[in-house]
């Protein structure tokens, strides 16, 4: 794996919808054994594809540094110049730091850029410096600082506080900040994030202008303030429960969690660590030395490069390999079919899957322990009925001991070009954990319009016992979330209704004004949610009225805690918060209407 400079590793300037060629790694036709001149009349033996190799080079867009690498800052700056404002560009990068100590760095992160340490613990890789996200490219407005991540590093910020001014799809995982963390941009402009997990911030976390935030299984020195919706589960040092003033929702523990897989070095060998499941989790997983879990050598992964065919990826899966998706864009003319228990699909640098011809990008069987992590699914121009399916329809097996986890898997419809999908994510498997996702029907960029990037439903949950921790779902033409499974739980939900509804009639739901952002099915008898918010900004027709943000059957075991709806600047209004309960929003002051407990 070369420690290559960005200038030698830029992706070729292909268009987003350009069909990439078949990868060189696709199997060549093998020699047919046992053929002879006398066998011409017999059917030719079927050619079996040559076995695909595991392991190998991580490709030119994975930049690997060690403390002796010359010119690290210049390389970081060059990637940032390319990616700073490339919101819908094709560049994808992973910046990996071998264990050791690095002096005086400022790693500014732009779009589709991930930075990570390669130790087992964040403290194995220390940067005396900063990992910075700011919003200079957008006039000090951080609400579009999407698709970037930091993971598995210790930071000693130069001025004592690291700046991480992000919006959706920008996880901060397994980080140790030996100082404070500022979640707002320079000048304290708008910000709309965000997500922290398995991290320790020794000093104060200052959200300032951040509208909402979710922090899970971490430790913090203190928390400064809240705007609309700040949610904590399993966080040592979290502020006490006080919603709606301040708007803190605090759970002592997280019911079930299993941290995201990550790449690390054992000597000179790359491996992927698989953290174990925790119940009633609290605090970081790495605080007492080596984290608990298992690991796999890279030789058990097919290391995929952009341009490889879906057939080759499926051959690797059938062969028993896991998938490591190196940074870039992958076009799929058939679904990736994950049929084997405990399969890992791990993306680096926001590897992006684009389903062509209306196919589904990924389909998971009703099996134990699948781990999907760290990639983006981008809808194609031909409508896909679904983009990601966790389990087949009717899946019913008990996966409580070894659930499927979906972590930092993001879905986008439109923005980078025309895209359509009827339903983005369908979860049929029981006990699935969705830990941080942003499912987004684009409200800006290319290929955007009420019918242009049509997408009726965001997330549909049919499986029982599903848990969502950090659920961001926005702008769908009808329901953003529909939950039909029993005993579902959501900790933190962030939503905006579709901006671009042309008029009241376009969102009419029978006799109800508008589709709820989060709907629990009529047959559900047990469901619970904490810290859920829905916002409206009907900027095409500001007179639109949305009856409520949340809809659910009124039953004793269907319970909600700390709900809010907000009208952004008076562009549309809510009549109620949940069902027919809660005060209407009014005026232009963006004051939330809240319900502390329902029913």
């Amino acid at each position: 794996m070369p420690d290559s400079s960005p200038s030698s590793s830029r992706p070729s300037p292909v268009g987003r919808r350009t069909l990439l060629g078949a990868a060189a790694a696709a199997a060549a036709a093998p020699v047919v054994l046992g053929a002879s001149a006398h066998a011409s009349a017999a059917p030719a033996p079927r050619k079996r594809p040559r076995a695909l190799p595991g392991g190998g080079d991580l490709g030119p867009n994975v930049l690997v540094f060690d403390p002796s690498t010359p010119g690290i800052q210049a390389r970081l700056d060059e990637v940032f110049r390319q990616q700073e404002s490339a919101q819908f560009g094709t560049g994808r990068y992973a910046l990996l730091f071998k264990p050791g100590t690095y002096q005086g760095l400022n790693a500014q992160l732009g779009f589709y850029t991930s930075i990570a340490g390669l130790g087992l613990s964040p403290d194995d890789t220390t940067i005396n410096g900063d990992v910075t996200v700011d919003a200079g490219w957008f006039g000090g407005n951080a609400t579009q600082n999407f698709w970037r991540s930091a993971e598995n590093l210790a930071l000693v910020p130069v001025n004592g506080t690291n700046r991480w001014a992000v919006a959706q799809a920008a996880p901060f995982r397994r980080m140790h900040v030996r100082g404070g963390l500022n979640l707002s941009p320079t000048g304290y402009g708008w910000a709309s994030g965000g997500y922290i997990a398995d991290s320790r911030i020794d000093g104060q976390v200052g959200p300032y202008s951040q509208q909402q935030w979710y922090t899970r299984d971490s430790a913090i020195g203190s928390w400064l303030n809240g705007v609309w919706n700040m949610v904590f589960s399993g966080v040592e040092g979290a502020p006490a429960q006080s919603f709606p003033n301040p708007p803190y929702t605090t759970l002592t523990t997280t019911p079930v969690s299993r941290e995201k897989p990550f790449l690390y070095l054992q000597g000179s060998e790359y491996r992927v660590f698989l953290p174990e499941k925790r119940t009633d989790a609290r605090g970081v997983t790495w605080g007492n030395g080596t984290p608990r879990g298992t690991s796999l050598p890279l030789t058990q992964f097919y290391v995929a490069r952009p341009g490889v065919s879906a057939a080759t990826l499926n051959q690797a899966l059938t062969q028993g390999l896991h998938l490591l998706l190196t940074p870039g864009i992958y076009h799929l003319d058939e679904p990736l079919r994950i049929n084997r228990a405990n399969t890992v699909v791990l993306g680096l640098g926001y590897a992006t899957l684009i389903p062509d011809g209306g196919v589904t990008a990924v389909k998971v069987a009703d099996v134990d322990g699948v781990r999907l992590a760290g990639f983006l699914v981008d809808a194609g121009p031909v409508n896909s009925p679904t983009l990601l399916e966790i389990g087949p329809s009717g899946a019913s097996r008990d996966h409580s001991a070894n659930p499927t986890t979906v972590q930092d898997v993001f879905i986008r419809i439109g923005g980078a070009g025309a895209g359509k999908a009827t339903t983005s994510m369908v979860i049929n498997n029981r006990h699935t954990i969705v830990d941080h996702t942003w499912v987004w029907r684009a409200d800006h960029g290319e290929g955007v319009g009420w019918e242009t990037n049509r997408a009726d439903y965001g997330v549909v949950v049919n499986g029982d016992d599903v848990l969502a921790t950090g659920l961001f779902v926005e702008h769908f033409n009808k329901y953003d979330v529909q939950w039909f499974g029993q005993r579902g739980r959501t900790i933190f939900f962030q939503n905006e209704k579709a901006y671009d509804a042309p008029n009241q009639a376009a969102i009419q739901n029978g006799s109800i004004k508008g589709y709820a952002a989060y709907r629990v099915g009529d047959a559900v008898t047990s469901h619970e949610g904490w810290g859920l918010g829905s916002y409206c900004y009907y900027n095409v027709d500001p007179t639109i009225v949305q009856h409520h943000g949340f809809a659910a059957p009124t039953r004793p075991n269907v319970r909600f805690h700390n709900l809010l709806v907000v009208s952004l600047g008076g562009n549309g209004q809510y009549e109620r918060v949940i069902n027919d309960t809660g005060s209407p929003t009014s005026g232009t002051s963006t004051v939330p209407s809240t319900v502390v407990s329902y029913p």
Side-chain angles (χ1 to χ4, degrees), residues 303-356:
V303 179
R305 299 280 193 95
V308 69
S309 69
T312 297
L313 295 172
N314 280 323
Q315 181 192 337
L317 291 167
T318 301
Q319 195 177 299
L321 293 172
H322 308 276
L323 295 183
L324 186 73
L325 303 173
T326 65
I329 295 174
Y330 298 75
H331 281 264
L332 306 176
D333 59 2
E334 62 182 71
L336 300 187
R337 300 185 184 278
I338 302 171
N339 297 322
R340 178 172 51 89
N342 301 310
T343 298
V344 179
V345 179
L346 176 62
L348 301 179
Y350 285 82
T352 301
L353 307 179
I354 300 176
D356 293 323

Side-chain angles (χ1 to χ4, degrees), residues 378-454:
D378 207 353
V382 178
N383 185 75
S384 293
T386 58
L387 293 172
L388 175 63
E389 293 182 11
I390 308 300
S393 178
S396 59
R397 295 180 182 175
D398 186 322
H399 301 296
S400 56
N402 187 13
T404 285
T405 44
V406 182
Q407 298 175 286
D408 302 346
V409 174
F410 308 117
I411 294 177
R412 178 172 69 194
I413 302 96
K420 291 187 177 184
T422 304
T423 304
S424 293
M425 183 188 299
V426 179
I427 302 168
N428 294 317
N429 279 356
R430 294 183 62 194
H431 302 101
T432 298
I433 299 171
V434 179
D435 176 44
H436 190 225
T437 189
W438 185 38
V439 182
W440 184 57
R441 175 182 167 267
D443 60 274
H444 61 272
E446 296 181 13
V448 170
W450 184 249
E451 296 294 345
T452 306
N453 61 328
R454 182 85 193 185

Side-chain angles (χ1 to χ4, degrees), residues 3 27 61 90 127 174 255 307 354 430 448 466 478 517 551 568:
D3 291 4
N61 283 18
T90 58
I127 292 178
R174 293 179 56 77
I354 300 176
R430 294 183 62 194
V448 170
V466 171
K478 293 185 179 178
L568 303 182

Side-chain angles (χ1 to χ4, degrees), residues 84 196 294 536:
E84 179 183 12
I196 293 170
T294 58
C536 73

